[in-house]
């Protein structure tokens, strides 16, 4: 097992490589990551649908959602929230600030596109279509989830974003403790992601699926789309959650771990 100090050095190497990825490959890998996270979100919603106990439904959802991050880390993809840790190679002067920002911008856009692809397919075949799951009732649950997210206050969404990506980046971090054991890697990342879903924290890439799929379901059902405005999605949720995710990932996880294990050591 890699020690925390070894993980810090490993991530500096990995993050510096991420900053140098060709834009085309980075973009395709980020689309895949958006699709993977969205698929984890789909599974979590389907698995927890119809469970009357809110606590039990949240537990079931949290048990399924980590599949998405497992696919990202094991399958190989670029995820915006996990890449918040790229602050470490920047602070270590192994990557440039421009390279990190370039990665964040390209990956964020790619994650959004990948999430939207899954949102459209789910809305038209699982929630709608000729043979919808649960007799079409799943679409109402998707709408309710989206409405709840766009109605969060800015501060609430921001703080939930901090807590979420603190957990996600810790999931990436502890998964790197397992150098070769696939089972250990998946188990390690599973627990922090389980915790953030269980507690209802906010993940900007997951919301790139959850809110658009609710919007599409509303259009399909003939519901007044004013109840789920795009302005509320982009400004009311995505902005504070994204800022919170960056603060939690780059600040709480990346910068603090850099200070503890790498500050003063430029090797």
């Amino acid at each position: 097992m890699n020690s925390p100090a070894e993980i810090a050095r490993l991530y500096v190497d990995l993050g510096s490589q991420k900053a140098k990825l060709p834009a085309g490959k980075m973009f395709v890998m980020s689309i895949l990551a958006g699709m993977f996270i969205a698929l984890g979100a789909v599974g979590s919603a389907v698995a927890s649908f119809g469970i009357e106990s809110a606590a039990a439904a949240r537990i079931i959802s949290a048990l399924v959602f980590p599949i998405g991050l497992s696919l990202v880390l094991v399958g190989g993809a670029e995820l915006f929230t996990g890449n918040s840790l790229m602050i470490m190679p920047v602070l270590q002067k192994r990557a440039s600030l421009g390279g990190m920002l370039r990665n964040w911008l390209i990956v964020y856009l790619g994650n959004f596109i990948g999430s939207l692809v899954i949102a459209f397919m789910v809305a038209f075949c699982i929630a709608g279509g000729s043979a919808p799951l649960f007799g079409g009732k799943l679409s109402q649950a998707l709408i309710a989830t989206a409405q709840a997210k766009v109605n969060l206050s800015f501060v609430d969404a921001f703080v939930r974003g901090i807590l979420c990506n603190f957990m996600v980046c810790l999931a990436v971090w502890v998964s790197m403790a397992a150098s070769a054991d696939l089972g250990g890697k998946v188990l390690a990342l599973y627990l922090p992601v389980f915790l953030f879903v269980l507690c209802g924290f906010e993940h900007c890439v997951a919301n790139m699926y959850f809110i658009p799929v609710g919007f599409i379901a509303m259009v399909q059902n003939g519901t007044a789309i004013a109840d789920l405005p795009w302005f509320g999605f982009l400004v009311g949720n995505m902005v504070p959650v994204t800022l919170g995710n960056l603060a939690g990932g780059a600040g709480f996880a990346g910068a603090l771990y850099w200070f503890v294990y790498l500050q003063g050591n430029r090797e």
Side-chain angles (χ1 to χ4, degrees), residues 1 29 35 82 107 127 133 159 176:
M1 185 180 79
M29 293 171 72
M35 296 174 74
V107 170
L133 286 178
V159 174
M176 295 180 70

Side-chain angles (χ1 to χ4, degrees), residues 69-260:
L69 187 61
S70 299
L71 291 172
V72 170
L73 296 184
V74 178
E78 289 290 305
L79 182 65
F80 173 78
T81 46
N83 284 6
S84 298
L85 287 171
M86 287 180 66
I87 193 67
M88 295 180 70
V90 172
L91 292 172
Q92 196 66 6
K93 301 189 184 303
R94 291 280 304 278
S96 68
L97 178 62
M100 179 185 71
L101 295 177
R102 166 181 171 270
N103 177 279
W104 285 357
L105 176 60
I106 293 173
V107 170
Y108 192 87
L109 293 174
N111 289 169
F112 204 166
I113 291 172
S115 299
L116 287 176
V117 168
I118 299 300
F120 276 101
M121 289 194 288
V122 166
F124 284 102
C125 67
I126 295 178
S130 58
L133 286 178
F134 309 115
K137 295 180 181 178
L138 179 61
S139 63
Q140 296 301 319
L142 297 176
I143 293 170
T145 297
Q147 288 176 326
K149 288 181 176 292
V150 300
N151 287 320
L152 290 172
S153 71
F154 189 98
V155 173
D156 194 355
F158 177 72
V159 174
R160 291 187 188 207
I162 292 175
L163 292 167
C164 168
N165 209 33
F166 187 34
M167 291 293 98
V168 170
C169 286
L170 286 176
V172 174
W173 182 271
V174 297
S175 75
M176 295 180 70
S179 55
D181 181 7
L182 177 61
K185 184 179 290 289
V186 172
L187 178 61
L189 71 87
Y190 191 95
L191 297 175
V193 178
F194 173 90
L195 181 60
F196 105 66
V197 177
L198 183 67
C199 295
F201 301 150
E202 291 288 306
H203 188 272
C204 66
V205 179
N207 288 355
M208 292 173 184
Y209 161 77
F210 278 124
I211 300 176
V213 77
F215 183 89
I216 299 166
M218 291 182 76
V219 173
Q220 288 177 314
N221 293 344
T223 308
I225 59 175
D227 294 338
L228 189 59
W230 279 102
F231 180 84
F233 165 41
L234 297 173
V235 179
N237 185 276
M238 293 303 297
V239 170
V241 171
T242 299
L243 292 175
N245 287 169
L246 285 174
F252 281 43
L256 294 182
Y257 270 130
W258 171 82
F259 177 77
V260 171

Side-chain angles (χ1 to χ4, degrees), residues 42-83:
V42 174
S44 69
V46 171
S48 60
F49 179 80
I51 299 176
E52 293 186 3
S53 167
R58 192 173 289 277
I59 290 171
I60 296 301
S61 179
L63 286 170
V64 176
F65 187 87
I67 293 172
L69 187 61
S70 299
L71 291 172
V72 170
L73 296 184
V74 178
E78 289 290 305
L79 182 65
F80 173 78
T81 46
N83 284 6

